[in-house]
Amino acid sequence: MALSQQSGILQQGASEERGENARMASFVGAVAVADLVKSTLGPKGMDKILQSMGRGQEVTITNDGATILKSIYVDNPAAKVLVDISKVQDDEVGDGTTSVVVFAGELLREAELLVNQKVHPMTIIAGYREACDCARSVLELISFNNRSDPALFRADLLNIAKTTLSSKILTVDKEHFANLAVDAILRLKGSGNLEAIHIIKKTGGTLQESFLDEGFILDKKIGVGQPKRIEDARILVANTPMDTDKIKIYGARVRVDSMAKVADIEAAEKEKMREKVRKIIDHGINCFINRQLIYNLPEEMFADAGVMAIEHADFDGIERLALVLGGEIVSTFDNPDTVKLGHCKLIEEIMIGEDRLIHFSGVALGEACTIVLRGASTHILDEAERSLHDALCVLKETVSDARVVFGGGWPEIRMAKAVEELASRTPGKKALAMEAFARALRALPATICDNAGLDSAEIVANLKAAHGAEADSRMGVDVVRGEAGDMAELGIYESFRVRQQVLLSGTEAAEIILRVDDIIKCAPRKRG
Amino acid sequence: MSLAFDEYGRPFIILREQERKSRVKGIEAVKASIMAAKTVARTLRSSLGPKGMDKMLQSPDGDVTITNDGATILEMMEVENQIGKLMVELSKSQDHEIGDGTTGVVVLAGALLEHAESLLDMGMHPLRIAEGYELACKVATENLDNIKTRFEFSREDIEPLVKTCMTTLSSKVVGRLKRPMAEICVKAVLAVADLERRDVNLDLIKVEGKVGGKMEDTRLVEGIVIDKEFSHPQMPKELRDVKVAILTCPFEPPKPKTKHKVDIDTVEKFEALREAERTYFTDMVQRCKDSGAQLVICQWGFDDEANHLLMHQNLPAVRWVGGVEIELLAMATGARIVPRFQELTADKLGFAGSVKELGFGTTKDKMLVIEGCPNLKAVTIFVRGGNRMVLDEIKRSLHDAICVARNLVRDNAIVYGGGAAEISCALAVEEAADKVTGVEHYAMRAFSDALQAVPLALAENSGLPPIESLTAVKKRQLQESNPYLGIDCNDTGTNDMREQNVFETVIGKKQQLFLATQVCKMILKIDDVIKPSDFE
């Protein structure tokens, strides 16, 4: 470091850390981030308040690992790797975002001890890799699959949803929400298209009042003086300007020499709009939904024709509506015969709390549904939405890959056992790394215990003993009673995909950080 | 002396404002340069070889890159020093020419300069040292020609090629999956290679990445992947046996480049213009339809109206496709790039076996995969990885491996790796040095010593005792006159690199020697460094 600064190789303000220093910096950074989210793990995990730096100082309360890490500003490059990993976990499987960071952090903590004992990082990596392969095959072996039996499969899904939700704010009503989520997912019939599930948040009421609606709810207003209730609706979903239709030919401009002509052209413009509206009405529709604004003139015309017109449904809304109603998104109106209209049995305006929403029921695509969340404050609603999203993602993954494992640290204990057996058969220093891997795996159930205020050493030791005594023991951490308990009886299940992803990403992240022996920070860009 | 006096004894300024410039001269200048170069080389030294460590680089904006690719490290280090920059250039030119060995070349150059320094201390003239190095370099490259072996492969037997790529990949983060990755690279290269002309156009291999999934999910698409989706959400997501039209004109009314105005002053004109606009849209779409196209790929955007008309005519379309992708698509599908609707005819269409829209994970990212093109000359390697850093690193590693495969297709002469070639060259140079008298003798010896720095670093990074391993191999090479013995980095128990299948291309190795020697020469020739001091 000193050398490169003396000779002025790097820019001013840049720094270079090598060897031990670099390794130390990355260990410290990564472990710090892992410790930060550690306390949110498990059913008794605590929440964090995040205050945004921007104007308004918005406050978010959450215990979702990915959300926390996304919002904090980290300067340490190694910590950034962990933040990234949790983001990917969120994108890929939606849950386990905290677990993956805690696991990677534990791996690094163990690695630090080994490095201090003069084990070469490459040896540690080799050991971790082998241990990871072993753990993975064990995980595959112990997973089970109930897809063939719909009733059991549903029970599995329900249990998974409950397990996921139990660590979130929804834990009080987890039964209710688990049912909501499973119903919603099963409606998708395996298509896994989460877009068809629409979540609407409305403050007021209690979480318990949240419900699943089998239709589609659009948070928009119906135009003035138009019917508020339509049966057997024929719907045209459009994306077209309904304010002033601009001339798109480049360079066109209006230049007139008298006021009379201005009036003429204005009239022509109006006529153009009238004609457009007429064309739209000629489609034989009684509901018109547009992505863009609808001005008063066309709105009035629609009202005269008894057509319900809904303006300004945003792009997502339009796509989803088109999907749900089975219509196409229309932008030209010259060929009414070939346009595919959307249909639904009933459109009506409903009240939720104090807001009026538009409710489409009896839609063509039976997959769609809307979950309306109610809650006392926006913070609760936001967190509820995040939790529900997690649950939905996990359920979706489970529907596509029906393998399931028990929760409560059960797979970790099993994997740790297998890895330790492998270590005892492996010659050389790699075995040390494998043992460390097993310890890192066991740290996950230990953290769950710690967060619940339990004696983690005692419980994990009991678990270890239980699994050692009986090869296919189902013991895991029972947080409620504060002891080792039978996971099958408690109904604590988790998705296989989530656990596998935690294992693989965690190991990968640890490996990346371990491989580094030199950190070069460029001079920060001057912000002018 | 930058101050002179004229005939009247008045001071005469040669360098303006010299007190504000720092200046180093003579042997000091050479030494300072060597110092700088050595520092850069030292940073890279620990990244050499299969057990080389990675470097973590934080960019000025705070983005983190983790890599052990020499060229990338140097590029992102933002080296300030001019000599340091020379080293960066050195590694870059190796990257451009060969694509691999970017770390090796810098380590070698660093070692050459280090040895030159001690020769300078002995009072030798820098240029004589440089000349000696040139001489030695010639001997070394001749030796490379002597020990090289031909490397046989064919389109059917790709095994040898795969093995070479595996060597390259073993030092990277994808080491765990070197076998499948190497196969992907070789297949990609062979798919686009022109074996008769011994040429590979790397533009035809695209490496696309998407964060998420596992490394194992990386695959070779015998076609093209575009990071775009169909323009209308309701267009079919999968097409089979389609005729493709490639357009570089927007589905919008024309925008002439000359300045113009269309004046509207009467109602009739207004109506006429409206009508013209409407027919313009229908015309455009109709033309595409009439030509028989079943998929339209456009470089520009569409108006909402055009988008709907396309959808209505059952004409799936993709918009905002980048220029490079357009060209690739045109090559693959055999379509002509059409700049105007008027010129769109049936014979300008291309063909694709299948076009699919793929979605990933829980996010809504989508990509188009175009496969089954008649002209299988374009392939895409689609990379998946746990996070962006891993992904970028995999991409860089694959690029290296692809370059190696390409070099072998170009010229199939190889030498063995693991430091074997360097040791053999070092021995040859040493032998040649004994026949030379004068300063060059010492310079050549120094060159030979510097060559050994590479196997030395390899052994060091692999956790082997460097000096013992090096000397042992050297002794065996001398005794058995077997130039295939190298450092056993992977701990497999044999030093014979033929058994370990560790080899590199002769072109790559030669390039390393040439480039390193040239840079040395350049640095040794500098005897005066003048730079303005920093602005306050």
Side-chain angles (χ1 to χ4, degrees):
Chain A
M1 182 176 173
L3 191 65
S4 49
Q5 271 176 356
Q6 267 171 13
S7 51
I9 300 288
L10 295 170
Q11 275 179 345
Q12 276 208 330
S15 67
E16 185 183 5
E17 286 173 82
R18 301 168 148 271
E20 290 300 303
N21 279 338
R23 212 164 281 137
M24 182 84 94
S26 41
F27 283 149
V28 168
V31 170
V33 165
D35 283 346
L36 180 77
V37 290
K38 201 172 171 182
S39 64
T40 66
L41 190 75
K44 296 277 168 81
M46 305 299 270
D47 289 4
K48 309 256 174 228
I49 287 190
L50 306 164
Q51 195 171 24
S52 76
M53 297 221 286
R55 244 185 349 163
Q57 311 238 309
E58 252 178 80
V59 168
T60 315
I61 303 175
T62 183
N63 77 359
D64 181 48
T67 313
I68 298 173
L69 292 178
K70 237 182 274 174
S71 329
I72 55 172
Y73 180 76
V74 253
D75 191 40
N76 186 297
K80 281 199 177 120
V81 176
L82 289 193
V83 174
D84 225 36
I85 262 282
S86 104
K87 217 155 66 195
V88 171
Q89 177 86 6
D90 194 30
D91 290 347
E92 274 301 298
V93 287
D95 193 30
T97 49
T98 314
S99 309
V100 69
V101 175
V102 172
F103 180 52
E106 287 304 326
L107 282 178
L108 287 170
R109 202 194 302 272
E110 293 290 342
E112 190 180 4
L113 295 178
L114 289 178
V115 168
N116 288 343
Q117 290 169 22
K118 301 279 175 261
V119 181
H120 194 270
M122 283 295 167
T123 320
I124 304 178
I125 289 172
Y128 277 5
R129 273 187 191 167
E130 276 180 42
C132 179
D133 282 345
C134 163
R136 190 174 160 193
S137 53
V138 170
L139 193 65
E140 268 166 32
L141 206 67
I142 59 174
S143 64
F144 43 92
N145 191 336
N146 283 330
R147 190 192 276 293
S148 43
D149 185 344
L152 264 179
F153 187 50
R154 198 192 143 85
D156 276 1
L157 287 180
L158 213 55
N159 279 328
I160 290 176
K162 270 195 272 183
T163 311
T164 305
L165 292 172
S166 66
S167 61
K168 309 278 153 105
I169 194 168
L170 301 177
T171 181
V172 196
D173 306 311
K174 65 178 170 192
E175 200 79 29
H176 181 62
F177 281 100
N179 271 315
L180 270 186
V182 172
D183 282 342
I185 282 287
L186 286 180
R187 282 180 72 84
L188 297 179
K189 300 189 188 71
S191 76
N193 186 358
L194 285 184
E195 282 175 46
I197 302 176
H198 188 41
I199 300 180
I200 290 183
K201 297 176 283 186
K202 284 282 161 205
T203 41
T206 62
L207 280 173
Q208 192 71 47
E209 283 169 39
S210 307
F211 62 95
L212 175 85
D213 193 279
E214 303 204 337
F216 188 84
I217 294 179
L218 191 67
D219 192 359
K220 289 285 175 272
K221 304 256 178 317
I222 297 174
V224 183
Q226 291 161 352
K228 300 280 185 249
R229 183 188 158 90
I230 295 179
E231 283 179 34
D232 274 333
R234 292 179 305 283
I235 306 156
L236 185 71
V237 184
N239 174 16
T240 182
M242 291 299 279
D243 35 10
T244 45
D245 223 353
K246 288 177 206 79
I247 296 173
K248 284 166 190 154
I249 289 180
Y250 187 68
R253 62 168 179 181
V254 178
R255 170 173 274 179
V256 290
D257 46 16
S258 73
M259 281 311 285
K261 281 188 177 157
V262 177
D264 282 351
I265 285 177
E266 203 187 338
E269 246 176 27
K270 263 196 188 142
E271 185 49 44
K272 184 182 171 189
M273 184 47 74
R274 281 213 187 86
E275 201 190 330
K276 190 168 180 180
V277 175
R278 236 173 274 134
K279 273 189 200 158
I280 292 171
I281 296 173
D282 282 348
H283 282 69
I285 54 164
N286 48 22
C287 177
F288 175 72
I289 302 171
N290 193 15
R291 183 172 92 85
Q292 299 174 28
L293 286 173
I294 303 177
Y295 266 27
N296 290 350
L297 174 75
E299 187 178 331
E300 190 193 320
M301 291 185 66
F302 282 125
D304 286 347
V307 173
M308 177 193 285
I310 301 163
E311 63 167 3
H312 217 237
D314 50 31
F315 205 79
D316 263 6
I318 275 289
E319 275 190 25
R320 210 178 277 139
L321 260 176
L323 181 75
V324 169
L325 300 172
E328 66 183 66
I329 302 174
V330 184
S331 298
T332 58
F333 308 98
D334 292 326
N335 312 302
D337 318 327
T338 50
V339 169
K340 227 169 88 196
L341 294 179
H343 290 278
C344 80
K345 292 255 162 49
L346 177 71
I347 305 177
E348 61 182 343
E349 206 173 50
I350 54 165
M351 300 275 290
I352 297 178
E354 288 192 342
D355 295 313
R356 275 181 293 181
L357 306 168
I358 305 166
H359 180 229
F360 299 78
S361 53
V363 293
L365 191 71
E367 295 179 2
C369 58
T370 304
I371 296 176
V372 179
L373 288 177
R374 307 299 313 276
S377 74
T378 46
H379 296 158
I380 292 188
L381 281 180
D382 285 348
E383 177 66 358
E385 191 196 359
R386 275 192 292 272
S387 317
L388 203 59
H389 174 255
D390 277 9
L392 287 174
C393 287
V394 175
L395 289 177
K396 181 195 144 196
E397 287 300 326
T398 320
V399 169
S400 60
D401 181 347
R403 282 179 287 179
V404 173
V405 291
F406 290 123
W410 177 78
E412 281 80 17
I413 297 281
R414 286 293 284 270
M415 288 190 279
K417 197 178 135 198
V419 170
E420 259 174 12
E421 273 164 23
L422 176 73
S424 62
R425 276 180 275 121
T426 310
K429 278 193 270 193
K430 268 191 289 190
L432 288 177
M434 289 179 189
E435 278 165 16
F437 193 90
R439 277 197 298 279
L441 278 172
R442 271 200 206 101
L444 284 177
T447 311
I448 296 178
C449 295
D450 281 338
N451 287 344
L454 305 172
D455 186 349
S456 61
E458 168 95 14
I459 293 178
V460 172
N462 286 351
L463 281 179
K464 209 172 143 187
H467 282 266
E470 199 186 335
D472 50 354
S473 162
R474 292 181 302 198
M475 296 303 238
V477 181
D478 178 357
V479 176
V480 182
R481 275 182 298 166
E483 57 188 31
D486 188 326
M487 289 294 115
E489 274 169 28
L490 291 166
I492 300 179
Y493 286 59
E494 273 182 279
S495 156
F496 166 78
R497 276 273 288 150
V498 171
R499 296 266 57 110
Q500 189 196 27
Q501 191 73 23
V502 167
L503 183 73
L504 295 182
S505 310
T507 318
E508 217 165 80
E511 181 181 323
I512 296 171
I513 295 174
L514 269 174
R515 281 178 71 106
V516 171
D517 78 330
D518 199 323
I519 301 177
I520 299 168
K521 281 190 195 166
C522 291
R525 202 184 292 289
K526 298 261 183 341
R527 305 201 188 273
Chain B
M1 279 296 127
S2 46
L3 196 67
F5 297 92
D6 62 8
E7 62 260 47
Y8 304 109
R10 284 175 306 202
F12 185 85
I13 295 166
I14 298 169
L15 276 170
R16 284 182 69 82
E17 295 174 337
Q18 46 178 307
E19 69 278 6
R20 298 216 349 229
K21 292 189 175 75
S22 61
R23 184 173 178 198
V24 209
K25 282 192 298 182
I27 208 83
E28 285 309 310
V30 184
K31 285 215 169 152
S33 310
I34 289 176
M35 174 78 160
K38 257 166 57 187
T39 319
V40 174
R42 231 187 51 174
T43 304
L44 283 194
R45 203 178 140 97
S46 63
S47 288
L48 192 73
K51 297 261 168 94
M53 303 295 276
D54 290 359
K55 307 271 175 268
M56 193 181 267
L57 301 144
Q58 196 172 27
S59 80
D61 298 320
D63 296 332
V64 176
T65 308
I66 298 178
T67 180
N68 72 1
D69 179 61
T72 314
I73 298 173
L74 288 179
E75 203 171 322
M76 301 199 59
M77 260 169 79
E78 300 208 351
V79 174
E80 178 86 314
N81 185 294
Q82 294 309 315
I83 302 299
K85 277 190 185 151
L86 267 181
M87 300 295 269
V88 178
E89 289 296 316
L90 169 69
S91 148
K92 245 192 228 162
S93 54
Q94 174 83 11
D95 194 29
H96 288 169
E97 278 297 308
I98 308 295
D100 188 33
T102 51
T103 316
V105 69
V106 174
V107 172
L108 184 62
L112 282 175
L113 287 170
E114 202 172 330
H115 285 96
E117 197 177 8
S118 53
L119 294 183
L120 284 175
D121 287 341
M122 284 164 71
M124 285 181 198
H125 192 273
L127 272 188
R128 296 295 292 276
I129 301 173
E131 272 162 27
Y133 276 3
E134 286 269 286
L135 217 62
C137 178
K138 220 172 118 201
V139 174
T141 45
E142 273 163 15
N143 182 58
L144 281 180
D145 281 330
N146 289 336
I147 61 167
K148 77 178 173 196
T149 45
R150 285 280 153 189
F151 176 80
E152 296 306 326
F153 66 93
S154 61
R155 225 175 250 282
E156 288 73 42
D157 179 25
I158 59 167
E159 191 55 30
L161 275 179
V162 173
K163 281 193 175 139
T164 325
C165 288
M166 273 162 69
T167 316
T168 313
L169 291 177
S170 63
S171 64
K172 315 277 170 161
V173 75
V174 290
R176 180 159 58 95
L177 293 169
K178 55 185 172 183
R179 173 95 214 169
M181 292 284 185
E183 273 171 17
I184 286 174
C185 293
V186 172
K187 278 186 194 146
V189 169
L190 285 183
V192 302
D194 188 341
L195 285 185
E196 266 95 76
R197 283 199 306 126
R198 294 200 156 276
D199 190 30
V200 184
N201 184 358
L202 283 190
D203 287 345
L204 296 174
I205 303 177
K206 230 178 113 206
V207 184
E208 271 283 345
K210 198 97 197 168
V211 173
K214 294 175 292 227
M215 276 191 230
E216 283 89 338
D217 298 338
T218 301
R219 68 188 188 105
L220 180 71
V221 179
E222 301 218 327
I224 296 163
V225 177
I226 318 176
D227 195 358
K228 290 280 179 292
E229 49 189 305
F230 285 117
S231 60
H232 197 286
Q234 283 161 323
M235 286 174 179
K237 303 287 178 221
E238 190 170 352
L239 303 167
R240 298 220 155 268
D241 298 332
V242 284
K243 287 194 181 134
V244 190
I246 298 179
L247 296 171
T248 52
C249 45
F251 273 88
E252 274 164 15
K255 291 181 177 167
K257 293 207 176 60
T258 45
K259 208 167 178 188
H260 72 288
K261 290 266 167 4
V262 181
D263 280 347
I264 305 169
D265 49 7
T266 61
V267 175
E268 288 74 42
K269 275 192 187 167
F270 181 75
E271 306 255 298
L273 204 60
R274 233 183 73 201
E275 190 54 32
E277 181 189 300
R278 212 172 52 84
T279 47
Y280 194 83
F281 278 115
T282 37
D283 256 18
M284 279 191 298
V285 178
Q286 199 56 43
R287 269 180 206 279
C288 296
K289 194 71 191 170
D290 287 348
S291 70
Q294 287 156 304
L295 170 68
V296 178
I297 290 177
C298 185
Q299 196 175 6
W300 302 99
F302 311 157
D303 195 86
D304 289 339
E305 284 188 53
N307 201 359
H308 174 250
L309 282 171
L310 283 169
M311 154 78 191
H312 218 170
Q313 296 276 6
N314 280 327
L315 204 58
V318 189
R319 57 182 154 184
W320 297 118
V321 181
V324 183
E325 278 105 337
I326 285 268
E327 278 175 25
L328 268 179
L329 271 172
M331 275 190 257
T333 58
R336 292 268 295 279
I337 298 177
V338 181
R340 262 186 295 270
F341 288 101
Q342 287 78 4
E343 288 168 16
L344 190 64
T345 50
D347 56 322
K348 285 179 182 166
L349 298 181
F351 178 83
S354 92
V355 179
K356 261 189 292 188
E357 195 179 276
L358 293 180
F360 298 101
T362 59
T363 47
K364 289 177 197 155
D365 292 340
K366 292 198 177 110
M367 279 192 158
L368 279 180
V369 177
I370 298 159
E371 280 177 304
C373 308
N375 194 354
L376 242 187
K377 279 282 169 188
V379 292
T380 305
I381 298 176
F382 189 62
V383 185
R384 305 298 311 272
N387 58 40
R388 195 184 49 76
M389 288 167 217
V390 175
L391 196 71
D392 288 349
E393 180 63 6
I394 297 177
K395 276 192 191 172
R396 278 189 293 268
S397 318
L398 288 183
H399 172 77
D400 282 4
I402 288 171
C403 286
V404 169
R406 176 195 63 169
N407 294 337
L408 280 175
V409 172
R410 273 192 181 165
D411 184 357
N412 62 358
I414 52 154
V415 287
Y416 283 87
E422 280 87 356
I423 297 174
S424 161
C425 286
L427 289 173
V429 171
E430 233 166 87
E431 208 183 306
D434 290 339
K435 293 172 196 149
V436 180
T437 50
V439 176
E440 283 80 7
H441 175 90
Y442 284 97
M444 285 174 82
R445 288 218 156 236
F447 191 90
S448 153
D449 286 343
L451 274 175
Q452 291 168 29
V454 174
L456 211 61
L458 270 179
E460 206 175 305
N461 291 343
S462 314
L464 303 168
I467 298 192
E468 277 90 344
S469 343
L470 174 67
T471 44
V473 173
K474 206 168 145 190
K475 185 176 150 224
R476 278 188 62 193
Q477 276 215 10
L478 260 182
Q479 276 175 350
E480 302 166 27
S481 62
N482 175 359
Y484 309 129
L485 294 171
I487 305 287
D488 176 20
C489 299
N490 293 326
D491 215 14
T492 46
T494 169
N495 284 67
D496 195 330
M497 290 297 136
R498 275 176 302 184
E499 278 170 46
Q500 286 203 21
N501 277 310
V502 181
F503 40 76
E504 290 167 80
T505 56
V506 168
I507 336 175
K509 199 90 275 172
K510 269 191 192 168
Q511 190 77 20
Q512 275 191 356
L513 291 177
F514 280 139
L515 284 176
T517 315
Q518 270 169 22
V519 164
C520 264
K521 198 173 159 192
M522 204 190 299
I523 293 176
L524 285 174
K525 274 173 91 168
I526 300 171
D527 79 332
D528 201 338
V529 181
I530 305 169
K531 65 172 182 190
S533 50
D534 300 330
F535 287 107
E536 292 307 323

